[in-house]
Amino acid sequence: MKIIPAIDLMDGQVVRLVKGDPSKKTVYSNDPIGIAKKWQSAGADMLHIVDLDATLGRGTNIQIIKKMIQELNLPVQVAGGLRDENTISETCKWATRVVIGTMAFKQKEIVLRLADALGKDKIVISVDHVGGIIVINGWQEKTKTKLIDGMNEFLKMGFSEFLLTSVSRDGTMQGPDLEILQKACSIENANVIASGGISNIDDVKQVKNANAFGVILGKALYENKISIEEAKKIA
């Protein structure tokens, strides 16, 4: 299982939100490159960098993210506000892979076109959910698509990489939503990265036992409730 620290950016700062709410923001650093290098040195398998300003339609941190990646030598997946073809194509030139959510559920034909051009292994489908129902647009808009149905649809289209975030657990450190995670991870050919609610090393063990491909470490990492080194021993 891959150990993947999250670096969420807002106004160039490393922050964490609670359930995606920008009014519930904690700033952890003004030095995102320093944080990225710290997690790299600790043995992270990959970084998950999120442009929260782009997600919320209030700006971009793309130049900072580009500079971060130039100074690192580990895989990086970029997420947040990737909602047009040109931006995604450009980002794929320097990021290992991109995470697509809103566009995946609103403009499937464009996502398929991008997959043909870039390779399906470059695209991670973001399946953010509340109570098993997919949410999009920075978690502000609920769809009518059930999580498992949505995943199966993309698997039929040839995609295999998924980022599964339990929105109600994100930033809460209340533990992962194991019931839904286990269902998602049991789908054949689905590589699922679990995100949301990780609070301690026992949560990492449970995510591994659910057969997740990877786990995102966020608030628990920044609050020193868990370390990359101990998570790696479990993984």
Side-chain angles (χ1 to χ4, degrees), residues 4 26 60 82-83 119 123 127 152 161 178 199 228:
I4 308 170
T26 304
T60 180
L82 296 170
R83 295 174 190 152
I123 294 175
V127 283
N152 279 321
E161 309 303 309
L178 287 169
S199 63
I228 290 171

Side-chain angles (χ1 to χ4, degrees), residues 169-235:
R169 304 290 180 104
D170 194 67
T172 67
M173 294 201 299
Q174 292 176 349
D177 187 337
L178 287 169
E179 185 182 349
I180 286 180
L181 179 63
Q182 285 163 348
K183 287 179 184 174
C185 291
S186 69
I187 301 174
E188 193 175 353
N189 298 324
N191 292 328
V192 179
I193 295 173
S195 175
I198 300 296
S199 63
N200 55 42
I201 200 67
D202 286 335
D203 289 341
V204 175
K205 287 178 186 173
Q206 290 181 309
V207 169
K208 180 177 170 60
N209 290 339
N211 290 320
F213 172 77
V215 62
I216 300 280
L217 301 182
K219 192 172 185 179
L221 189 60
Y222 290 92
E223 298 279 350
N224 299 311
K225 306 291 184 190
I226 194 169
S227 73
I228 290 171
E229 291 87 348
E230 63 180 338
K232 287 276 286 183
K233 286 176 186 173
I234 299 298

Side-chain angles (χ1 to χ4, degrees), residues 53-234:
D53 290 312
T55 297
L56 298 166
R58 39 174 277 175
T60 180
N61 293 279
I62 202 76
Q63 292 305 319
I64 296 169
I65 296 171
K66 197 172 181 179
K67 193 169 191 307
M68 289 167 75
I69 291 174
Q70 287 169 348
E71 299 204 19
L72 297 168
N73 54 11
L74 82 169
V76 175
Q77 64 180 28
V78 175
L82 296 170
R83 295 174 190 152
D84 72 79
E85 205 165 344
N86 286 340
T87 302
I88 291 167
S89 296
E90 278 300 308
T91 304
C92 274
K93 288 178 182 176
W94 39 267
T96 309
R97 51 197 215 164
V98 293
V99 181
I100 302 177
T102 301
M103 179 187 274
F105 288 92
K106 284 197 161 182
Q107 297 171 297
K108 286 188 176 68
E109 69 287 349
I110 295 179
V111 176
L112 276 169
R113 191 160 68 231
L114 282 163
D116 287 340
L118 304 168
K120 288 189 172 76
D121 59 330
K122 295 281 282 187
I123 294 175
V124 182
I125 304 298
S126 184
V127 283
D128 307 327
H129 74 93
V130 174
I133 302 297
I134 298 287
V135 291
I136 57 174
N137 277 332
W139 303 345
Q140 307 302 307
E141 182 183 337
K142 201 168 186 175
T143 69
K144 294 178 180 177
T145 305
K146 292 179 180 177
L147 170 71
I148 303 301
D149 292 344
M151 287 181 64
N152 279 321
E153 186 176 355
F154 281 100
L155 281 159
K156 285 175 187 170
M157 291 158 63
F159 294 92
S160 61
E161 309 303 309
F162 297 91
L163 174 67
L164 193 163
T165 302
S166 175
V167 174
S168 61
R169 304 290 180 104
D170 194 67
T172 67
M173 294 201 299
Q174 292 176 349
D177 187 337
L178 287 169
E179 185 182 349
I180 286 180
L181 179 63
Q182 285 163 348
K183 287 179 184 174
C185 291
S186 69
I187 301 174
E188 193 175 353
N189 298 324
N191 292 328
V192 179
I193 295 173
S195 175
I198 300 296
S199 63
N200 55 42
I201 200 67
D202 286 335
D203 289 341
V204 175
K205 287 178 186 173
Q206 290 181 309
V207 169
K208 180 177 170 60
N209 290 339
N211 290 320
F213 172 77
V215 62
I216 300 280
L217 301 182
K219 192 172 185 179
L221 189 60
Y222 290 92
E223 298 279 350
N224 299 311
K225 306 291 184 190
I226 194 169
S227 73
I228 290 171
E229 291 87 348
E230 63 180 338
K232 287 276 286 183
K233 286 176 186 173
I234 299 298

